[in-house]
Amino acid sequence: LSEMEIKGIKLDKEKLINFSKELDEKIKTIEKKAEDEAGHEFNIASYKQLQTVLFEERGLKPDKKNKSGFSTSSEVLEKLKDFDILPSLILEYRSLSKLRSTYTDSLVELVDSQMRIHTHFIQTGTATGRLSSQNPNLQNIPSHDALGMRIREAFCAEEGNVLISSDYSQIELVVLAHISKDKMLNQIIKEGVDVHKRTASIIFGVKEDEVTKEMRAIAKAVNFGVIYGMSAFRLSEDLHISRKEASSFISAYFETYKEVASFIENTYVECENKGYVETIMARRRYVPEIKSNTHNIKELGKRIAVNTIIQGSAADIMKKAMLDVAKALKEAKLKTSILLQVHDELILESPGDELEQSVPLVKKVMEEAYKLSVPLRTSISTGKNWGEL
């Protein structure tokens, strides 16, 4: 970790400065649109003025109240945007302002004389054991939309070098298959098919080639929701479906993956008896919440117990992989080195002439980091910047 922190990653400062100017223009345009829509000038960043414009002048019906009146949180605005254009404009304004303040403006201040940026990796920052990153947090760089990708594109390789991304495929579901010993899930992972598509096919009772994007999205939410102990209420909120539908999807999931259901129930019982759970590498976490007489706290304890075993085991495997990859690169006398660890992914920098040797080496070592009943798989990509990976 210290080697990664010292090495840092190169940042194209000019690219970010130019992007910041673009964001400024977009933000001003949105402010003007919002004022035109409201029919007068107002401060779009002022919660008090937003309350007046949205709930008094526009007559929108909020569903949450706080100490200073009706809430203008993003959650509230998401629900209101179907009825009025202003909530959408406010959400867009906030999103762009956050990009500018959190990333484009602050990152350029943190580069060193070599135009490299250095994060700090924290080993004790999460209860599950996953690494976290701070000052700046490089695990949080947006990746889901075109604007977020523009920020990733500013992180680049030195001249003559290439960035490598090696990403574990569905590691949490792989760990769940191994620990639960669920026959169906093990078979799907071994076949290497799209696990969300297969789950959708089973719970909706259709052929795989008939699975729609919406069906797959629901199956994905259920697949991961199980790991996080998601309730039918939460699933219905996230997917904008009825609680009855959400409940039926969860029931269908457990009917399909019966050993997963048994693993979860056994985890609750064992955790309550012992007071703790352990990861795949015997790292222990105490869960006092599971012994609580208060229903909500006890339910939280149950979620913590299952999530710690799955996420914690994935974290153990990733840390072991990092040690193995660093060692293998040194033994092979390669200059390729690990720069970042982002969730289930390693970002490395490699001289262009080492790629033929370093890419298969990294893939092999990561896939052999820990012996499971199902194969660990990684997807590898290369590019001149992080946005291309």
Side-chain angles (χ1 to χ4, degrees):
L1 288 178
S2 64
E3 285 172 7
M4 290 161 65
E5 290 182 358
I6 291 162
K7 182 99 176 168
I9 184 166
K10 186 166 185 181
L11 194 75
D12 187 331
K13 199 172 171 179
E14 285 306 308
K15 198 171 260 188
L16 273 192
I17 290 169
N18 291 333
F19 185 38
S20 193
K21 287 174 187 169
E22 273 184 55
L23 288 175
D24 261 342
E25 289 305 312
K26 286 179 190 290
I27 287 166
K28 282 174 188 162
T29 303
I30 289 168
E31 285 174 323
K32 178 77 172 66
K33 263 190 197 172
E35 286 174 355
D36 288 348
E37 191 62 38
H40 60 82
E41 285 185 10
F42 72 99
N43 181 358
I44 197 169
S46 161
Y47 294 117
K48 205 79 193 151
Q49 290 185 39
L50 281 184
Q51 286 168 348
T52 304
V53 171
L54 292 173
F55 308 127
E56 291 177 26
E57 295 175 13
R58 314 285 283 189
L60 292 169
K61 300 281 183 283
D63 63 351
K64 276 194 177 181
K65 206 167 186 179
N66 54 33
K67 288 176 187 173
S68 61
F70 289 119
S71 169
T72 59
S73 69
S74 296
E75 186 188 347
V76 170
L77 294 177
E78 281 290 345
K79 289 177 181 172
L80 294 175
K81 69 180 187 183
D82 293 337
F83 307 102
D84 194 300
I85 191 173
L86 259 183
S88 293
L89 291 171
I90 296 159
L91 285 168
E92 194 179 353
Y93 167 85
R94 286 181 185 173
S95 171
L96 296 179
S97 297
K98 186 181 177 184
L99 276 181
R100 187 182 61 184
S101 61
T102 310
Y103 301 111
T104 59
D105 290 356
S106 61
L107 288 174
V108 292
E109 302 295 324
L110 295 171
V111 293
D112 65 10
S113 58
Q114 306 299 308
M115 292 295 138
R116 293 182 83 88
I117 200 161
H118 307 265
T119 185
H120 297 290
F121 289 102
I122 315 298
Q123 292 199 69
T124 53
T126 67
T128 54
R130 282 189 179 275
L131 289 174
S132 56
S133 156
Q134 69 179 32
N135 299 328
N137 181 355
L138 295 185
Q139 294 184 332
N140 238 10
I141 305 294
S143 63
H144 300 302
D145 57 33
L147 291 175
M149 290 307 287
R150 291 279 299 278
I151 293 166
R152 290 199 164 210
E153 285 166 8
F155 291 87
C156 55
E158 293 284 355
E159 194 63 41
N161 288 0
V162 179
L163 293 183
I164 302 169
S165 159
S166 186
D167 191 358
Y168 276 125
S169 304
Q170 314 286 11
I171 189 169
E172 288 171 353
L173 296 178
V174 169
V175 167
L176 179 62
H178 171 80
I179 291 176
S180 69
K181 300 181 174 63
D182 186 274
K183 295 180 190 67
M184 176 79 77
L185 194 52
N186 268 264
Q187 184 188 334
I188 292 170
I189 302 286
K190 281 175 182 169
E191 285 176 19
V193 297
D194 182 335
V195 65
H196 305 311
K197 203 170 187 182
R198 178 67 61 86
T199 300
S201 161
I202 294 164
I203 64 176
F204 285 100
V206 298
K207 291 176 183 172
E208 268 185 64
D209 57 8
E210 292 171 1
V211 170
T212 63
K213 275 186 182 176
E214 290 75 20
M215 289 175 180
R216 187 184 181 278
I218 288 169
K220 183 177 180 179
V222 176
N223 273 332
F224 286 116
V226 164
I227 296 167
Y228 300 116
M230 188 184 277
S231 64
F233 170 74
R234 175 69 196 278
L235 187 66
S236 70
E237 289 278 295
D238 282 6
L239 295 175
H240 308 294
I241 57 176
S242 71
R243 206 175 304 185
K244 189 179 176 185
E245 278 182 296
S247 190
S248 72
F249 289 139
I250 291 171
S251 297
Y253 176 93
F254 286 127
E255 271 300 306
T256 303
Y257 304 114
K258 289 187 172 68
E259 285 97 337
V260 171
S262 301
F263 154 70
I264 290 171
E265 285 305 319
N266 293 340
T267 297
Y268 295 160
V269 174
E270 274 188 43
C271 184
E272 195 159 354
N273 289 338
K274 293 178 180 175
Y276 65 84
V277 289
E278 287 184 331
T279 67
I280 211 166
M281 295 187 193
R283 194 162 44 78
R284 187 177 294 186
R285 179 180 179 183
Y286 286 88
V287 189
E289 294 90 344
I290 206 160
K291 293 180 186 260
S292 173
N293 292 323
T294 307
H295 175 77
N296 286 352
I297 295 173
K298 190 178 186 73
E299 289 301 306
L300 171 65
K302 288 179 174 181
R303 290 196 296 274
I304 287 170
V306 174
N307 188 27
T308 295
I309 294 174
I310 305 302
Q311 270 213 22
S313 297
D316 289 351
I317 293 168
M318 176 51 94
K319 286 176 176 173
K320 170 78 167 42
M322 290 170 75
L323 291 168
D324 292 353
V325 167
K327 185 182 176 192
L329 290 169
K330 281 173 185 164
E331 285 176 352
K333 295 188 168 48
L334 295 171
K335 290 177 183 168
T336 301
S337 58
I338 306 170
L339 303 185
L340 299 175
Q341 188 260 320
V342 183
H343 310 305
D344 306 324
E345 174 187 23
L346 291 185
I347 307 287
L348 303 94
E349 186 169 10
S350 176
D353 58 4
E354 282 187 6
L355 275 184
E356 277 187 28
Q357 198 176 347
S358 58
V359 166
L361 176 69
V362 169
K363 185 174 174 65
K364 181 175 186 290
V365 171
M366 282 186 73
E367 292 181 345
E368 292 176 357
Y370 196 86
K371 183 72 180 154
L372 297 171
S373 59
V374 284
L376 274 169
R377 292 189 180 94
T378 59
S379 53
I380 292 229
S381 55
T382 60
K384 289 299 290 178
N385 64 61
W386 194 358
E388 292 178 3
L389 300 179

